[in-house]
Amino acid sequence: MRRVHRKKFSRPADTPSIARDFAARGYCVSVNVDPPGRLRPDLDRHGHGAEVLTVLEGLLEVTCGDDRCVLGPGDELALPGGTPVQLRSVSEAPTRWLHGWD
């Protein structure tokens, strides 16, 4: 259902080079900053195709159905289109992350 690449990108995460990587793979890109505890209950509400997430700073808890993991800086999560996913910032400081979608 999902694919996690631990430490795919070096730390500290270089936002411009990761955004270029996403764009080279055909994804639109947005930078997101979530305060501690922020919940995003339904990331796929816009009906995107495939999506990728990469954490730049902080920790992001990702839930897909009964499956849960925590992404840290440099980790990438690839999701097939239509995958309902819930995100929560679980850091004491804000979590910065990139969202790519096609």
Side-chain angles (χ1 to χ4, degrees), residues 20-94:
R20 283 191 301 274
D21 175 87
F22 280 20
R25 292 188 276 161
Y27 292 107
C28 298
V29 182
S30 67
V31 178
N32 300 276
V33 180
D34 290 347
R38 178 170 183 190
L39 175 68
R40 291 180 182 252
D42 188 9
L43 183 65
D44 191 52
R45 67 188 176 277
H46 300 298
H48 298 303
E51 298 179 84
V52 290
L53 311 173
T54 295
V55 174
L56 303 169
E57 297 173 4
L59 297 171
L60 193 62
E61 180 184 76
V62 181
T63 305
C64 300
D66 293 331
D67 196 13
R68 181 176 298 177
C69 69
V70 175
L71 302 177
D75 293 346
E76 179 181 273
L77 172 68
L79 297 163
T83 302
V85 62
Q86 175 178 291
L87 306 175
R88 180 187 309 268
S89 173
V90 293
S91 299
E92 292 182 14

